[in-house]
Amino acid sequence: MPALPPTLDDGVARLPGAGPRVAESLAKLGVRTIRELLFHLPSRYQDRTRLTPLGALRLQQEVVVEGLIQTSQIHFGRRRALLCRIADDTGALTLRFFYFNRAQQLRLEAGRRVRCFGEVRRGPLSLEIVHPEVQLIDDARPDATPLDGALTPIYPTTEGLHQARLRRLTSAALEVLARESEQTDAIDALIARHFHGGARLPTLTAALRCVHRPPPAVDVEALRQGQHPAQQRLAIEELLAHQLTLRQLRKRAQQLTATPLPVPRALRAALLRAFGFALTRAQQRVVHEIDRDLAKPVPMLRLLQGDVGAGKTAVAALAAASALSAGQQVALMAPTELLAEQHGRTLSKWFGGLDVEVLLVTGRLGAGGRRSARTLLAEDRPRLIVGTHALFQDNVAYANLGLVIVDEQHRFGVNQRLALLEKGARDARRPHQLIMTATPIPRTLAMTAYADLDVSMLDELPPNRQPVRTSVLPASRREDIVARIAEACAAGRQAYWVCPLIEESEHLDSQAATDTAAALAQALPQLKIGLVHGRMHEREKDLTMQQFARGAIELLVATTVIEVGVDVPNASLMVIENAERLGLSQLHQLRGRVGRGSAQSDCVLLYKSPLGETARHRLQTMRETNDGFVIAERDLELRGPGEVLGTRQTGIAEFRIANLTRDRRLLPTVQQVADRLLDEAPVLAEQLIARWTVHRAEFAKV
């Protein structure tokens, strides 16, 4: 009896040309079924449908070119290379091959006509393509080598799974789809009904066929920009599926229970006195939002966004007071020992006279200290525990964890945050959660990536804070800046000099900071200069930071390890060298290390010419605004959601076809439709989630 043809729900191994080994490779990409393969979409397209004249080439353009080889010779430089110079009626181009054999050299001899595909780069003397794909063209039969009739899709892939194989497999999957596509899709009807212009969008089947195999007459520019109706049709579905997944997780979380925590009037009043400052209106608003959540018998799930210096720690302390007053434990987790210790000092100062114990737990505790800390955590009495990842190691158990506070949440892996939440699990009871970030998240991103959380925003700075003045100067002005540091320190102020990553190497990064510190010590012998970089021992690093905080060091030379959590109100000048190398959010975080006192503070961004367009835009943005939320929006436009959130490794906000910057106008409708679907058509909602969120939901539980 002949085997039945494969269906969309069958494993990919049933496709011709697949087999167990290919199925194993596809599984690494989250693709197990034929249906999942159809939703493994191209990340970009190559245009091999037309020839580009050599005289019209542009840098970083992927092109098909054709020309006559004028010269072909081996060049012996730092690396041996075969250089072929080709020309047509409009210009010339160099083809560079580092890996070649004698047969290839003979094949590419002068006088041959070749057609090549590759990316145009700037070479030592002219434009060139390195290791192009090459076809020999027969002058007598030029039509024997036709150009491609359609755009070539390029898929995300993994080791051992080549593009040609992926294209063959998706073609086979599209044939399976064609056999099953006669059934009407309820989601097609839903999109046509609820989305503006939805009735003109293609069906799911037509959209998938178009993005996998764009027809010859396709609008190439629309496809490249992600604006083609087929891509928009799929983007709507993907955003809907993502929103539904997070809404479901939120619904599930609301079925759990938590201990309701009333506002502790007496402890709160005492804590407000201990602060020594009045809360801003924004802090008062956010505290009220948190109080409302904590009073409920379901776990609070709240993201607290606040610009650098907006007062998140004070808000966290007031939330902690509610749990402590109810006899529960509070765990505050920070990404670095330095920041954990700073939180520990601040909270000890505030709670010190209020009969509340603050316990610091970091990896630096010796074996005896760790044993003692574990014993204290297992005691059922109210404590505020501050620490790093040491808080959620396997051998740590909490007696009664009522509130989890995670600072700088994007710096933790999802699994780490999940592990801390599970520490507080008691049957269906979970601790309340407050997640804090000083890296403002654009509204469009928060609406999408954190749809399972309520979001609070501290969008106001304390009244004594003056905006940091920012200037952008070329590196040639370095001597002027050194003189400015001498002046600031002579006036009793302190300064930072930041040396960002030179290459993806902590060793080179540290060396650059060490060399800079030596040069500045020579130029400014009257100053006490400290050095902090990633290769130093934690204890040595912290000792230097403490000396700087006490004022014993006047100028601190550092790598970007100081980006988070250092609070030195007397530091009023920051110099960031090679500022063009850093992203907007990182520049903003670094700038936030100054301007923490009442004195006017300055940040100088030194750059090396020539500046690229993106770098120029970043530096201009820094000069124009101190508003972290404005900066976050521009950062999203420049870098994309995965980079801004710091979640590339998790799959959250890494969409296959949707783009949160391009498609932000869809989000309000997506949210409304998601709510309606969950209430009115839960089966349809499940169908959508199953289509798009392959093995990803567990990551969003936090």
Side-chain angles (χ1 to χ4, degrees):
M1 184 175 165
L4 291 170
T7 69
L8 291 175
D9 294 317
D10 283 342
V12 284
R14 288 215 59 202
L15 290 173
R21 189 170 292 178
V22 170
E24 200 177 302
S25 296
L26 283 166
K28 291 178 188 171
L29 298 169
V31 173
R32 291 170 174 79
T33 67
I34 296 171
R35 188 186 301 278
E36 287 170 358
L37 179 60
L38 284 167
F39 285 87
H40 185 69
L41 301 169
S43 53
R44 61 190 180 90
Y45 298 91
Q46 289 176 345
D47 187 357
R48 301 174 182 232
T49 64
R50 54 191 168 153
L51 289 173
T52 301
L54 296 178
L57 296 179
R58 297 196 311 272
L59 283 173
Q60 296 177 318
Q61 188 183 18
E62 282 190 327
V63 291
V64 180
V65 295
E66 200 173 290
L68 203 63
I69 300 178
Q70 295 180 316
T71 60
S72 180
Q73 56 191 27
I74 296 175
H75 174 73
F76 294 93
R78 276 192 311 168
R79 290 176 70 186
R80 176 174 168 268
L82 174 64
L83 302 183
C84 299
R85 188 75 173 162
I86 68 168
D88 66 7
D89 295 339
T90 66
L93 173 76
T94 299
L95 310 178
R96 184 181 294 269
F97 302 88
F98 291 113
Y99 307 104
F100 59 95
N101 54 33
R102 177 67 180 157
Q104 287 167 303
Q105 188 184 346
L106 291 172
R107 187 167 166 257
L108 296 173
E109 63 187 5
R112 291 278 180 93
R113 179 170 292 280
V114 289
R115 182 178 295 165
C116 310
F117 176 82
E119 184 185 339
V120 180
R121 300 182 185 180
R122 193 187 302 284
L125 300 173
S126 67
L127 295 180
E128 63 182 33
I129 297 179
V130 178
H131 280 286
E133 296 175 31
V134 177
Q135 290 174 291
L136 291 178
I137 303 294
D138 185 347
D139 278 330
R141 298 171 58 227
D143 296 339
T145 315
L147 290 161
D148 286 1
L151 296 184
T152 305
I154 303 296
Y155 293 93
T157 189
T158 186
E159 192 179 351
L161 194 60
H162 300 296
Q163 291 295 328
R165 172 71 60 82
L166 271 169
R167 286 196 280 272
R168 284 197 297 273
L169 290 171
T170 50
S171 291
L174 285 167
E175 287 176 23
V176 178
L177 177 68
R179 281 200 303 273
E180 297 193 16
S181 65
E182 62 275 3
Q183 57 193 22
T184 57
D185 192 326
I187 297 165
D188 285 330
L190 176 94
I191 289 172
R193 193 165 62 247
H194 289 293
F195 285 86
H196 178 67
R200 293 193 301 276
L201 294 176
T203 63
L204 176 72
T205 301
L208 283 171
R209 182 166 292 284
C210 182
V211 295
H212 281 295
R213 296 294 176 269
V218 75
D219 182 339
V220 175
E221 199 47 42
L223 208 59
R224 281 198 179 130
Q225 299 292 329
Q227 300 284 9
H228 192 279
Q231 292 166 308
Q232 287 293 288
R233 166 69 179 75
L234 295 171
I236 288 170
E237 254 205 46
E238 186 173 26
L239 289 168
L240 256 179
H242 186 81
Q243 196 76 207
L244 286 165
T245 305
L246 294 180
R247 293 292 168 98
Q248 271 197 345
L249 287 166
R250 182 173 180 79
K251 221 170 185 177
R252 214 170 297 156
Q254 287 171 333
Q255 288 162 5
L256 299 167
T257 59
T259 304
L261 304 174
V263 176
R265 304 290 174 194
L267 180 57
R268 175 164 293 182
L271 189 56
L272 286 167
R273 285 194 296 274
F275 286 165
F277 55 80
L279 296 183
T280 64
R281 286 189 306 276
Q283 284 174 309
Q284 291 171 26
R285 184 187 72 247
V286 169
V287 168
H288 178 65
E289 290 166 355
I290 290 170
D291 285 345
R292 210 168 49 222
D293 284 357
L294 293 178
K296 295 174 185 171
V298 295
M300 172 174 75
L301 295 166
R302 188 164 285 278
L303 172 69
L304 172 57
Q305 294 191 69
D307 218 336
V308 179
K312 291 180 298 299
T313 310
V315 170
L318 291 166
S322 297
L324 294 164
S325 186
Q328 300 201 319
Q329 297 166 305
V330 178
L332 190 157
M333 182 166 70
T336 65
E337 296 201 350
L338 199 64
L339 187 52
E341 287 173 4
Q342 181 173 294
H343 279 316
R345 284 193 298 274
T346 302
L347 293 166
S348 295
K349 184 174 79 178
W350 289 341
F351 283 104
L354 308 179
D355 199 29
V356 171
E357 184 183 355
V358 178
L359 179 66
L360 186 65
V361 181
T362 65
R364 195 177 306 162
L365 290 175
R370 284 196 295 273
R371 273 196 304 274
S372 170
R374 285 198 298 273
T375 303
L376 292 173
L377 295 184
E379 289 179 4
D380 190 357
R381 44 177 302 197
R383 276 194 181 88
L384 174 49
I385 306 111
V386 181
T388 55
H389 61 278
L391 292 183
F392 58 84
Q393 286 172 347
D394 290 342
N395 54 2
V396 177
Y398 293 87
N400 189 11
L401 186 60
L403 173 63
V404 172
I405 302 169
V406 182
D407 196 15
E408 288 303 322
Q409 56 80 31
H410 66 290
R411 294 176 165 263
F412 288 97
V414 173
N415 291 331
Q416 290 173 308
R417 300 202 301 270
L418 191 55
L420 184 60
L421 292 178
E422 290 308 309
K423 285 289 178 195
R426 299 175 73 188
D427 302 321
R429 192 173 291 267
R430 293 291 185 278
H432 296 282
Q433 299 170 53
L434 180 63
I435 296 167
M436 306 195 298
T437 177
T439 306
I441 299 162
R443 185 169 169 274
T444 46
L445 206 47
M447 282 166 69
T448 308
Y450 296 109
D452 57 327
L453 300 176
D454 294 306
V455 180
S456 289
M457 288 170 65
L458 284 176
D459 48 7
E460 180 185 2
L461 290 178
N464 65 332
R465 292 283 171 89
Q466 295 187 50
V468 178
R469 284 186 309 217
T470 303
S471 48
V472 178
L473 298 172
S476 56
R477 296 279 301 278
R478 189 185 175 99
E479 283 183 22
D480 297 347
I481 305 308
V482 171
R484 198 163 157 189
I485 286 173
E487 205 177 289
C489 293
R493 296 286 166 198
Q494 290 165 276
Y496 296 94
W497 189 293
V498 181
C499 306
L501 204 65
I502 301 302
E503 289 183 29
E504 290 302 320
S505 155
E506 201 175 61
H507 171 71
L508 291 174
D509 191 27
S510 307
Q511 190 58 49
T514 305
D515 293 347
T516 300
L520 288 169
Q522 201 171 357
L524 300 163
Q526 74 277 24
L527 297 187
K528 299 184 194 74
I529 297 176
L531 172 66
V532 171
H533 58 70
R535 287 170 69 85
M536 288 168 70
H537 192 280
E538 283 293 334
R539 192 163 290 134
E540 188 186 358
K541 198 191 305 180
D542 289 355
L543 184 63
T544 305
M545 291 305 313
Q546 285 164 19
Q547 288 175 322
F548 185 59
R550 287 200 312 269
I553 287 172
E554 295 161 289
L555 171 61
L556 183 67
V557 179
T559 57
T560 53
V561 293
I562 62 152
E563 180 187 343
V564 169
V566 190
D567 192 1
V568 184
N570 191 47
S572 64
L573 176 60
M574 169 167 284
V575 179
I576 304 176
E577 206 167 1
N578 296 313
E580 75 280 1
R581 294 177 182 271
L582 297 179
L584 265 174
S585 290
Q586 198 173 24
L587 285 169
H588 182 62
Q589 285 289 307
L590 286 166
R591 178 170 63 182
R593 298 303 109 216
V594 294
R596 302 179 82 83
S598 54
Q600 176 63 61
S601 294
D602 292 276
C603 177
V604 179
L605 306 176
L606 286 179
Y607 67 87
K608 280 188 180 157
S609 297
L611 274 181
E613 184 143 353
T614 302
R616 184 179 289 107
H617 184 72
R618 278 200 300 262
L619 298 182
Q620 185 180 337
T621 299
M622 289 296 294
R623 189 167 48 197
E624 286 171 357
T625 182
N626 277 275
D627 188 325
F629 291 95
V630 172
I631 284 168
E633 286 287 354
R634 298 212 189 151
D635 204 22
L636 175 62
E637 289 166 15
L638 289 170
R639 292 197 300 156
E643 295 288 354
V644 171
L645 280 177
T647 53
R648 289 190 68 79
Q649 76 281 13
T650 69
I652 296 294
E654 268 195 86
F655 293 102
R656 302 177 206 187
I657 199 158
N659 178 298
L660 292 182
T661 308
R662 183 192 69 216
D663 301 326
R664 65 176 76 191
R665 65 189 165 73
L666 298 171
L667 292 174
T669 313
V670 162
Q671 288 186 313
Q672 292 164 18
V673 174
D675 285 339
R676 191 174 298 179
L677 266 179
L678 282 174
D679 290 339
E680 299 172 10
V683 175
L684 202 57
E686 284 292 348
Q687 194 182 328
L688 248 173
I689 289 169
R691 255 183 204 174
W692 286 94
T693 51
V694 184
H695 314 297
R696 292 186 179 188
E698 66 271 18
F699 287 125
K701 286 177 187 168
V702 293

